Amino acid sequence: MKCYGDRNAVDGVDLDIRRGEIFALLGPNGAGKTTTVEVLEGYRARDGGEVRVLGVDPAEGGRSWKAELGIVLQSGAGDSQLTCLELLRAQAAYYPDPRDPAEVLELVGLTEKAGSRGRTLSGGQRRRLDVALGIVGRPRLLFLDEPTTGFDPEARRQFWSLIRSLRDLGTTMLLTTHYLDEAEELADRVGVITRGRLVEVAVPSALGGRGQAPAVVSWTEDGVRRTAETASPTAFVAELAIRFPGEVPDLAVARPTLEDVYLRMIGEPS
Amino acid sequence: MTTTEECSLPSIGSVCRTRAGVELKEFFRQRESVVFTLMFPVILLLVFGAVLDYELGSGVSFTQYFMAGVIAAGILGASLQNMAIGIATERSDGTLKGLAGTPMPKSAYFVGKVVQVLVVTVAIVAILLVIGVVFYGVDLPSGTEWLTFAWVAALGSAASTLLGIAVSSLARNGRSASATVTPVALVLQFISGVFFQFSEVPTWLQTVAAVFPLKWMAQGLRSVFLPDALAAQEPAGSWELGRVALVLAIWCVVGLVLCVRTFRWQDRVDR
């Protein structure tokens, strides 16, 4: 997949997503994440640039192209009078090689809700139903637009393990989120988008030069908290170990967090 | 990289069957739509039949006259109001957008809607006829009158369905569609000769009503339920079946053009 958009909301997004990876698009609200994703999904026309999703221009993607995509919209599915299982069965009927609806319910942990209507589900359960609808067609590429907004921490952890099990099934995923821990937890690579521009693409641990950034070593000496920035923390800690007879008091070695580099990238003071 | 062959996609026919099943469940499981669309004409018939128990002349009871009107109103509810409100709701809550992202053939969505309208319409007409016959001794049509009944109902239903789909695009969401379409339908019912004799409607309002399909549906159905002697009370002094067909057909064309030009699968982007 290749995407290069050129428009007001998104102006200069150049990225490739590899087969089998989870790619997270990070950015503040209004940065252009949803616009970018909707261009890729074929919902929005673009004013220029070249876009290929599974080898096809989304503006010209037909039924067989859509059959290989799964889309979980930010807004989710609407209210329905159908039960979870009925919704999945109907959705499966649109695809050439669908997954078994009952197995999909099992995968998202909604088996006991198979006979319940959508409106009786909690927020987290609804979102898992959205994902179930997105994957029942056995997509090669799954779009997840802010899938965990409004989740409590436990629901988010459950959701993450669902996403990981989907990756194990070989699904490529494009995830948008404004949660840094989610990107760090799930993504093989992260793209940071701000004001419609893709400012960097990297693995989470290397984003913003995080991998090469000086480490901050801190410890307590003579009752005073001391810190030092160093490019070679291992050697530095080894020296400290010689100076102190036993344990180095309150020793900590830290790299800049994803949040530090992210806030710097989107131009917010950290 | 495309590996899926076009031919391995499910056939349009099978997707249409799925959509028809979905639409019927969505309609009959929603209490509001069942009460509003299905029971409202029934209640009207029961109440009007009980209250307005008088003769129009030629041995025809008001209920016999009202039968044509309430069936026309029922068809309007099952098609125009049902489509306008239902589709506006599905558009604003993201159902349509979700469907547009699947390989479902778009035509299957409309086939599902048409099946829903057909089933609901047949149910309404059947219930109204049974109540009319059992409680109010309404005379059923006979012979070729059934044929007239069938084409007026089918043509009126088609025009109203297309119009309803078109109107759904004007509304912001289901609630605003309901708030707009319901009063308009009610006014149309009043001026189109549903609740009382069309000849009692002031001439200028008759002219207004003659622009819209409901008046012609009701008139066509009166030709089925009333003796030909009462045709003299119609504005033209006859049932004007040719004109009924013409006006309803024109509305079908207008509705279709409006649908094709205005239908959207998602909310306006400039929310």
Side-chain angles (χ1 to χ4, degrees):
Chain A
M1 281 149 285
K2 189 168 179 66
C3 163
Y4 179 72
D6 192 321
R7 50 184 293 127
N8 300 337
V10 177
D11 182 9
V13 172
D14 196 349
L15 72 100
D16 280 276
I17 295 168
R18 297 167 196 152
R19 191 179 302 184
E21 79 172 339
I22 299 183
F23 189 97
L25 212 46
L26 260 180
N29 287 329
K33 299 192 295 291
T34 295
T35 304
T36 303
V37 171
E38 290 198 342
V39 167
L40 298 178
E41 291 164 341
Y43 281 120
R44 270 174 203 258
R46 62 185 190 278
D47 302 330
E50 194 204 330
V51 180
R52 285 279 177 277
V53 175
L54 300 175
V56 174
D57 182 341
E60 279 143 31
R63 283 181 68 200
S64 50
W65 176 72
K66 285 184 182 175
E68 306 206 71
L69 303 182
I71 298 175
V72 177
L73 294 167
Q74 201 178 109
S75 53
D79 260 326
S80 175
Q81 302 296 323
L82 272 61
T83 67
C84 295
L85 188 59
E86 286 171 331
L87 277 174
L88 280 175
R89 285 207 180 119
Q91 184 92 348
Y94 311 147
Y95 292 86
D97 180 27
R99 291 191 165 104
D100 174 31
E103 278 172 24
V104 172
L105 278 180
E106 176 88 50
L107 188 65
V108 301
L110 284 178
T111 301
E112 75 280 14
K113 291 282 173 185
S116 308
R117 297 190 194 177
R119 61 174 54 178
T120 64
L121 303 181
S122 71
Q125 289 170 334
R126 273 188 86 109
R127 212 65 184 124
R128 281 185 275 155
L129 176 61
D130 290 336
V131 174
L133 290 168
I135 64 172
V136 75
R138 205 184 294 278
R140 289 167 62 200
L141 170 63
L142 178 64
F143 293 99
L144 294 157
D145 199 357
E146 298 192 5
T148 62
T149 300
F151 277 29
D152 62 40
E154 199 202 333
R156 177 166 295 136
R157 300 235 159 239
Q158 284 173 1
F159 194 86
W160 290 349
S161 70
L162 166 62
I163 298 304
R164 283 194 208 96
S165 52
L166 285 177
R167 174 179 36 201
D168 297 342
L169 292 171
T171 315
T172 308
M173 279 174 267
L174 176 55
L175 166 85
T176 74
T177 184
H178 47 229
Y179 295 117
L180 298 158
D181 51 347
E182 186 160 284
E184 188 155 32
E185 193 72 31
L186 292 178
D188 300 303
R189 287 190 306 148
V190 175
V192 174
I193 191 166
T194 177
R195 292 181 202 92
R197 288 194 168 275
L198 191 70
V199 288
E200 195 180 336
V201 175
V203 297
S205 58
L207 197 73
R210 232 175 126 200
Q212 286 80 48
V216 177
V217 179
S218 52
W219 70 100
T220 305
E221 193 168 2
D222 306 330
V224 181
R225 190 78 182 146
R226 310 274 296 266
T227 60
E229 279 198 4
T230 169
S232 50
T234 313
F236 192 89
V237 171
E239 273 173 38
L240 276 181
I242 295 165
R243 274 172 41 201
F244 288 89
E247 281 291 306
V248 180
D250 305 324
L251 175 66
V253 181
R255 300 275 182 186
T257 64
L258 186 57
E259 184 165 337
D260 295 334
V261 298
Y262 170 74
L263 289 174
R264 198 182 67 229
M265 289 172 119
I266 65 169
E268 301 284 332
S270 60
Chain B
M1 266 172 78
T2 312
T3 52
T4 313
E5 299 295 324
E6 194 76 43
C7 62
S8 67
L9 285 163
S11 74
I12 292 196
S14 78
V15 180
C16 287
R17 275 197 299 283
T18 302
R19 287 304 311 168
V22 169
E23 292 292 354
L24 291 178
K25 283 176 191 155
E26 293 282 7
F27 181 89
F28 285 101
R29 285 185 191 172
Q30 183 163 34
R31 207 170 303 135
E32 292 94 326
S33 69
V34 171
V35 168
F36 193 74
T37 311
L38 213 61
M39 296 315 291
F40 187 60
V42 171
I43 293 165
L44 279 182
L45 178 60
L46 289 173
V47 170
F48 273 68
V51 175
L52 301 172
D53 183 19
Y54 64 94
E55 285 226 346
L56 297 176
S58 313
V60 174
S61 68
F62 173 78
T63 318
Q64 188 75 31
Y65 189 97
F66 186 56
M67 201 67 209
V70 80
I71 288 177
I75 292 173
L76 194 76
S79 48
L80 190 138
Q81 285 156 273
N82 181 19
M83 288 298 102
I85 296 166
I87 296 178
T89 305
E90 290 184 331
R91 187 177 290 114
S92 59
D93 75 10
T95 304
L96 281 187
K97 189 175 181 181
L99 286 173
T102 73
M104 176 196 77
K106 301 211 161 138
S107 56
Y109 175 77
F110 297 101
V111 170
K113 287 290 180 199
V114 167
V115 170
Q116 187 197 65
V117 170
L118 269 178
V119 171
V120 174
T121 302
V122 168
I124 288 178
V125 170
I127 295 171
L128 289 175
L129 287 177
V130 167
I131 292 176
V133 169
V134 172
F135 291 100
Y136 303 107
V138 165
D139 292 327
L140 283 181
S142 60
T144 56
E145 284 173 347
W146 281 113
L147 206 65
T148 312
F149 192 155
W151 75 251
V152 171
L155 207 53
S157 180
S160 310
T161 301
L162 289 164
L163 213 51
I165 296 173
V167 166
S168 79
S169 299
L170 301 174
R172 215 156 246 289
N173 53 47
R175 216 172 305 147
S176 84
S178 175
T180 327
V181 173
T182 310
V184 169
L186 203 61
V187 169
L188 278 182
Q189 286 164 10
F190 267 104
I191 67 173
S192 301
V194 168
F195 297 125
F196 41 83
Q197 283 175 272
F198 191 63
S199 52
E200 289 169 22
V201 176
T203 319
W204 69 273
L205 273 179
Q206 286 188 0
T207 314
V208 174
V211 176
F212 298 98
L214 182 62
K215 181 255 182 192
W216 300 98
M217 269 198 279
Q219 187 172 319
L221 292 176
R222 281 200 294 276
S223 85
V224 172
F225 282 92
L226 301 182
D228 285 341
L230 281 178
Q233 293 186 8
E234 296 294 325
S238 78
W239 299 123
E240 296 182 285
L241 285 181
R243 181 164 290 183
V244 168
L246 182 70
V247 174
L248 292 180
I250 289 174
W251 270 111
C252 283
V253 174
V254 170
L256 185 64
V257 170
L258 286 175
C259 282
V260 170
R261 295 186 65 115
T262 61
F263 196 85
R264 291 175 284 113
W265 290 90
Q266 33 185 320
D267 254 336
R268 288 189 192 86
V269 178
D270 52 4
R271 260 163 293 186

